Amino acid sequence: MAHVVKFKMHSLQAFISVATLLAMSFASAAALAHTNDYLDTQKAPHGGQLRMAGVYHFELVVAKDSKGATNNPVMVYVTDHAGAKIQTAGTSGTVTILSGTERTTANLAPDGDNRLKGSAKYTSAPDLK
């Protein structure tokens, strides 16, 4: 009987080892799936650009039709990896916008469930970052 218990214990340890290795490989794949290159292939809910920081996804939305450098809105939507809204009440932030040699900064304040909003003087251009 002791031999059977030892066999079961060995099988359990092997199972735990295999399960741990599988979990680590899936976790590694999930972490790699959220690179900027991967996020650039995803359709953002509000038509913006997705980026990740820690456990959060940020979607930057800027005006796409501003012909001249005018004061335009800047919005950032915050979600988790699963796309669930993260409340922004009590938070703040800044966004630096680059277009060619022009650089401007927008201060962000909470504006709704998971949105931060601000404004900055910029032109909608293909090289906007």
Side-chain angles (χ1 to χ4, degrees):
M1 188 68 154
H3 180 69
V4 172
V5 171
K6 189 174 184 181
F7 176 73
K8 287 183 179 177
M9 193 63 161
H10 178 69
S11 295
L12 179 61
Q13 288 174 341
F15 174 75
I16 291 172
S17 296
V18 170
T20 301
L21 286 173
L22 285 172
M24 288 172 55
S25 67
F26 286 128
S28 296
L32 292 174
H34 289 171
T35 64
N36 288 341
D37 289 338
Y38 170 77
L39 291 172
D40 285 341
T41 67
Q42 300 305 297
K43 183 176 179 183
H46 304 95
Q49 181 184 44
L50 293 172
R51 288 295 178 257
M52 184 183 86
V55 298
Y56 303 108
H57 280 188
F58 297 95
E59 180 185 358
L60 174 65
V61 179
V62 295
K64 297 184 187 308
D65 58 356
S66 179
K67 303 294 184 219
T70 59
N71 208 29
N72 291 303
V74 177
M75 290 174 280
V76 175
Y77 294 86
V78 185
T79 59
D80 65 11
H81 289 294
K85 293 179 179 181
I86 301 295
Q87 297 296 314
T88 58
T91 65
S92 64
T94 59
V95 171
T96 301
I97 299 172
L98 305 172
S99 181
T101 59
E102 299 298 316
R103 177 187 192 122
T104 188
T105 301
N107 292 315
L108 303 172
D111 182 56
D113 289 343
N114 69 318
R115 183 170 71 182
L116 296 165
K117 186 176 183 180
S119 63
K121 190 175 183 180
Y122 62 89
T123 302
S124 301
D127 67 345
L128 192 70
K129 301 180 202 176

